[in-house]
Amino acid sequence: MDADVTDSAGPPSDPDHPAGDKPQGRSQEESGPEGVTPGDGAAEDGSPQGDARREGTSAAEDVQEPPESGESGESGAAPDPAPDPAPAKAGSEGSPGVQTWADRPKDGIVAARKSHWLRWTALAASFLVLVAAGAGWWLYKKLDGNITTDTSAAAELKAYEKERPTPVVMDAQNILLIGSDSRAGDNSEYGRDDGGSQRSDTTILLHLAADRKSATAVSLPRDLMVEIPSCRTEDDKETREQFTQFNTAFELGGTACTIRTVERMTGIRIDHHMVVDFNGFKDMVDAVDGVEICLKEPIDDKDAHLELPAGRQTLNGEEALGYVRARKTLGNGSDTERMERQQQFLGALVNKMQSNGVLLNPTRLYPVLDAATKSLTTDPGLDSLRDLYDLVRGMRNVPTEQVQFLTVPRQPYRNNANRDELVEPDAGDLFKQLREDRPVAVVPADELKEAQQDQEGKQDGKPDDTGSESPTPTPTYSGSSAADDLCKQ
């Protein structure tokens, strides 16, 4: 019985394991998968038996060639099948695309390492995003908390709503900028303390066109003689209506009284207001690393704490404040020339912020916003960082040559040469243009004077041209733009 099994099975593939232990040609299902090793004579991947198992045929059907002489176990015995071939490599002929067990652990380790690295990268990126978001939120809340809201002015303006002008053009913005002249607290070094009283040292009406393609800043002289309405004081008393100099309105009734005075004078509805004190101005100049100006003559002003040589130079915050406030030792000592210097300096500041990319660079913009918000008092419509950002974003694409500065047309007051009065109809025409959101043009004072003289000469030498019609020319005023180079004037 044993001999028959041996004859039918052929020689063993391994001397240590007789072939009789597992008959030749039995299927994998008969022997069972458990405990089977290649040494036991089980079909391996890549062997004829293994191929037959995968293809669904028996091993005997795949073995076609007879064995070479000397390989049979006994004379006359059934031919033995060929020895099992070595396992085929993945992708080799006879087993295309098949991967061996020896190769699989290496690929598994690489895949595991890659997956592990990707998970850590994603975790680190998520952590950085959370940290950045937290820092951004902290900075936002800090800047937002710096702003002071003027609720009292809003309440008083609401009480006088019926007498206020109606907006003419939607989306246009009119903002009243007020420079505080308080000598209290940190500002006491610039003059005597009046017990904390305030005057509007500088007042500018800023008009932003509805299409945000131009911005016009009109300075209102503090000594301009105007009609001031009856206003409510801090101690809840009513002042009488009076004709007096403009900055008295701020001293008597604060921001609300100043806004109502401007609206009565111009017919322009004021949408928002900002009050900035001295230190805020200084810090903003320092935040942009100074502003460049040109001086035709040296300055030595003890009252303004200012001593500067002639020529091109960059002013820091302290020097800039002295420069825009100096009056007695510069020019003819008039407030008119001081306003012109203020306008030119503000134009240079705007140019510096736009040309250096401050408005588009968060790391450079933050110090400017921090300085501005610390000294800023606004109405409830501009008392958040989001509101201010929307305002700045609307202005950042305005060309510098379209950021214009001028002073309202005025002349010495007939009853007091130390005061000013409006020049009509020029002032009325300017207010009408701004009210209806129409353009105005500015040129240096000497160019405007030459143009006016040329126009008068043409009119004197020509007859009335009543038959021709031409477009209404853009009103032109003496002023400057942010694109002007102060050293070339």
Side-chain angles (χ1 to χ4, degrees), residues 50-226:
D51 292 342
R53 184 182 64 228
R54 287 189 297 272
E55 298 296 332
T57 60
S58 68
E61 292 173 348
D62 290 339
V63 180
Q64 300 295 334
E65 296 181 3
E68 297 180 5
S69 61
E71 289 184 356
S72 88
E74 288 183 12
S75 174
D80 293 331
D84 294 341
K89 294 291 183 180
S92 65
E93 184 178 358
S95 184
V98 179
Q99 190 178 43
T100 65
W101 288 105
D103 291 334
R104 291 184 183 182
K106 183 193 300 182
D107 294 343
I109 292 173
V110 172
R113 288 177 177 174
K114 184 176 181 180
S115 176
H116 182 72
W117 181 83
L118 290 174
R119 285 197 300 270
W120 273 103
T121 301
L123 182 61
S126 300
F127 176 76
L128 291 176
V129 169
L130 290 175
V131 170
W137 176 250
W138 181 84
L139 292 175
Y140 176 88
K141 295 299 292 182
K142 180 180 183 297
L143 293 175
D144 202 56
N146 286 345
I147 305 171
T148 302
T149 306
D150 186 0
T151 56
S152 60
E156 183 170 352
L157 290 173
K158 186 176 181 179
Y160 292 96
E161 180 62 34
K162 291 183 179 180
E163 71 177 38
R164 301 185 65 193
T166 301
V168 177
V169 178
M170 298 299 295
D171 296 328
Q173 292 281 309
N174 296 294
I175 304 171
L176 197 64
L177 309 177
I178 302 173
S180 170
D181 195 22
S182 172
R183 307 295 182 177
D186 294 334
N187 294 333
S188 59
E189 63 182 284
Y190 299 104
R192 64 185 179 85
D193 186 2
D194 296 329
S197 64
Q198 297 188 75
R199 294 184 179 87
S200 54
D201 181 66
T202 300
T203 304
I204 296 176
L205 173 59
L206 176 63
H207 174 78
L208 303 179
D211 59 7
R212 296 302 188 268
K213 293 183 179 179
S214 66
T216 305
V218 182
S219 294
L220 303 175
R222 65 178 187 176
D223 294 333
L224 184 67
M225 299 299 293
V226 296

Side-chain angles (χ1 to χ4, degrees), residues 42 100 114 164 216 272 356-357 359 376 396:
T100 65
K114 184 176 181 180
R164 301 185 65 193
T216 305
H272 301 289
N356 285 10
L359 298 180
L376 196 63
R396 68 185 181 187

